[in-house]
Amino acid sequence: MVATIARLAALAVLAILGVMLATLLPGAAGVRACGENGPFDFDTYEAEPYTVTYSRAIELATAGKAVSASHSVAGQTINVLYQGLLKGPRASRTTASSTALTIPPTIYKSIVWAESNWGNGSLSIPYGGVGPVLRSFDCGYGLGQVTTGMTNNGGPPTARQALIGTHFLYNVAEGVRILADKWNSAPRFRPIAGEGDPEALEDWYYAIWSYNGFAFVNHPLNPNRDPLRPAVFPCGDGSAPGASAYAGRFNFTYPELVYGCMRYPPKVKGQPLWQAQDFDMPHMEVEAVAQAFLPGRFLGCEDDGFSGGCPLMDYPTAFTIPAPDEPATQSAGAAAEETVVVTHKDSTPPINPALAAGILGAPRLSFEGPDAVSLTSSSPVSIQPVFVYNNGTWLGPYRVRVSAPWIGVRHAVDPSTRTIDGGVSIGAEVPIVIKSDPRVIAGNGYVSSLLIFLVSDYLLGGTSKGSVTFESLLGVQASFTVEVTAINTGVAAPLPRRAIIVAVASDEP
């Protein structure tokens, strides 16, 4: 219960941030990310035990081992393969990415905590339950709050969008790809920290900044930030410097937030979610670093559209700081001490790639329902059920594809009449939790029970014909199509509205 309360409290704060940003930036990020047709509605599974499952998923994804191959659904390719990284300083940066170069896992673990508090589903879902995916005001989905590529351009979601929105491993894999893209955008569009070494935690500073949007709001010398704040966010650790005076995350830039949780891991039931990491934040007392972070250098590069990658913002992360002048009272002949600053590596042990098979399972979906239905707009009970079963194991994600906007699909038991663009059906070996405190299990396995209905506001006059197709996204490929005939009697039924779940800020492409 303690972990649940902590997550609710943290996400409530993030929800406030979402409302604030939506108010300050009307019609900006939200419209651009969601598209004119509004957000997609996906169901997902909130893993239990999430501390183990999500940790493994992130470690697999950052090692490039989460997904071994791309695959196609209905002719659409789903590719979240790890693309690898570039390496080196600006003068000798590699030109081809290498999958042998990987992302320090604690970086993305901390990013996921900053984005979603390690929650893949909305606040209404207990761990071990099924329900709406966590979605921000600007259409960031799931653990990584993925916005890139998730715009609704009209019609049903692509198979790739649906899998990212329904399955936590694919969501994390795509989030890792986004972070890798931010790293690889240097030196063309981003500056380089240190020697551009992917193993050095310090050298990820600009890539971490870019995951949240490479904007001046996250500049460490932004005058709107308290200059007396600690170097990093205390991340709930009461013993961290400034923990009492600067407990709020809004006091810190995004890199300070992420690095802070790397240094002070959040705890669940008294246990840290990951190993605390050692690193150095930019040493502003060093002239080369101070010059790199002059606000004018960022703003000038921003005015140029970041073309050229802001070379004046490159700064060293490993160096020797000469000792200050010796005081007169120091005894003659005493050796002056120098400070040696080195970079640090992630201490997380390598993960066994074989664990990916267990997280993916072996889903095998089947569908039950009529081949054709005839629905009348005048009858609010003119609906037709369809059931999605998983006869295999673990998570079976699926997509719902309608041929016309007047066809809707929703859950059989859902008073909000929320439309469904994709969801999951779960194997019989998995207990499904419907309440967390006290913990209540509904049984093993989850059958997705759906209803086809008419969105009468979009109906044309007379008789219309269309279809709805249910497609499995993983495992054994299967699909099921229902031909739908709609008879518009001219009596309008209530139009179901999509519910925008305000949650957390997300990656800015």
Side-chain angles (χ1 to χ4, degrees):
M1 178 179 178
V2 173
T4 302
I5 293 175
R7 181 190 170 207
L8 289 174
L11 283 175
V13 173
L14 297 180
I16 294 172
L17 174 60
V19 173
M20 290 170 59
L21 291 177
T23 302
L24 294 173
L25 303 173
V31 171
R32 181 171 65 253
C34 296
E36 295 181 357
N37 296 281
F40 294 116
D41 281 308
F42 298 122
D43 275 358
T44 191
Y45 172 74
E46 189 74 276
E48 186 186 47
Y50 77 99
T51 55
V52 175
T53 304
Y54 293 158
S55 181
R56 287 177 177 175
I58 293 170
E59 289 176 27
L60 286 166
T62 52
K65 305 297 183 182
V67 181
S68 60
S70 60
H71 68 281
S72 297
V73 173
Q76 297 180 355
T77 300
I78 300 174
N79 181 8
V80 294
L81 293 173
Y82 177 63
Q83 72 272 48
L85 302 174
L86 303 177
K87 182 180 181 179
R90 186 174 297 270
S92 57
R93 189 80 161 180
T94 57
T95 57
S97 59
S98 170
T99 55
L101 301 173
T102 59
I103 298 173
T106 306
I107 289 178
Y108 200 67
K109 288 179 181 180
S110 189
I111 284 177
V112 170
W113 183 262
E115 295 288 342
S116 65
N117 281 82
W118 277 32
N120 191 50
S122 71
L123 296 179
S124 62
I125 308 176
Y127 292 107
V130 177
V133 68
L134 181 67
R135 189 179 70 220
S136 67
F137 75 98
D138 57 349
C139 288
Y141 292 84
L143 287 167
Q145 285 297 278
V146 175
T147 61
T148 305
M150 299 301 287
T151 301
N152 183 353
N153 293 315
T158 65
R160 188 174 187 275
Q161 288 174 323
L163 193 48
I164 290 170
T166 57
H167 199 296
F168 65 84
L169 183 63
Y170 276 74
N171 185 280
V172 166
E174 178 62 13
V176 164
R177 281 170 52 88
I178 291 170
L179 181 59
D181 276 343
K182 305 305 182 185
W183 172 274
N184 291 338
S185 65
R188 290 185 62 197
F189 300 105
R190 291 292 182 271
I192 295 176
E195 294 299 306
D197 180 4
E199 290 190 352
L201 295 176
E202 290 85 352
D203 291 9
W204 281 88
Y205 188 92
Y206 287 128
I208 292 171
W209 181 347
S210 298
Y211 192 90
N212 188 248
F214 197 53
F216 190 67
V217 67
N218 285 316
H219 194 289
L221 299 183
N222 185 324
N224 291 326
R225 305 283 183 184
D226 187 343
L228 300 180
R229 69 189 185 278
V232 294
F233 175 56
C235 204
D237 188 332
S239 64
S244 58
Y246 297 94
R249 56 185 287 151
F250 304 136
N251 293 313
F252 299 86
T253 67
Y254 194 76
E256 292 162 358
L257 178 66
V258 172
Y259 277 108
C261 290
M262 290 167 61
R263 178 171 290 167
Y264 307 108
K267 294 181 179 180
V268 175
K269 296 181 179 179
Q271 297 299 314
L273 284 179
W274 52 78
Q275 297 178 13
Q277 302 299 318
D278 290 328
F279 53 82
D280 281 85
M281 294 299 281
H283 283 260
M284 295 296 184
E285 73 277 13
V286 175
E287 180 67 18
V289 179
Q291 290 292 318
F293 282 101
L294 289 174
R297 292 193 171 183
F298 176 89
L299 297 173
C301 191
E302 183 181 45
D303 289 341
D304 293 334
F306 302 111
S307 178
C310 316
L312 295 179
M313 292 185 67
D314 293 358
Y315 71 93
T317 57
F319 44 80
T320 299
I321 302 176
D325 293 338
E326 295 175 292
T329 56
Q330 184 171 330
S331 60
E337 295 184 357
E338 295 181 335
T339 300
V340 178
V341 178
V342 299
T343 56
H344 300 78
K345 296 182 180 181
D346 196 317
S347 61
T348 306
I351 191 170
N352 183 354
L355 292 173
I359 292 182
L360 287 172
R364 188 173 71 255
L365 298 189
S366 64
F367 308 90
E368 179 183 305
D371 294 328
V373 298
S374 180
L375 305 177
T376 304
S377 63
S378 60
S379 174
V381 294
S382 186
I383 53 181
Q384 183 63 53
V386 172
F387 302 94
V388 184
Y389 299 90
N390 183 359
N391 302 309
T393 61
W394 200 215
L395 305 185
Y398 63 86
R399 173 174 65 150
V400 178
R401 183 159 52 90
V402 299
S403 66
W406 50 264
I407 303 173
V409 176
R410 64 178 177 86
H411 280 300
V413 182
D414 189 344
S416 71
T417 66
R418 181 177 65 97
T419 57
I420 298 296
D421 295 301
V424 291
S425 186
I426 302 179
E429 82 284 4
V430 181
I432 303 300
V433 178
I434 58 174
K435 187 178 179 181
S436 59
D437 185 28
R439 187 170 182 267
V440 177
I441 297 176
N444 282 5
Y446 176 82
V447 177
S448 195
S449 178
L450 305 171
L451 297 175
I452 301 172
F453 69 103
L454 298 181
V455 184
S456 57
D457 279 16
Y458 293 116
L459 273 176
L460 300 175
T463 300
S464 301
K465 292 186 178 293
S467 63
V468 55
T469 300
F470 304 84
E471 297 166 328
S472 60
L473 298 172
L474 277 181
V476 177
Q477 295 293 297
S479 64
F480 177 66
T481 299
V482 180
E483 301 297 333
V484 181
T485 299
I487 303 171
N488 188 355
T489 62
V491 179
L495 175 65
R497 302 292 184 183
R498 294 179 183 270
I500 298 179
I501 303 171
V502 177
V504 297
S506 57
D507 166 58
E508 181 77 11

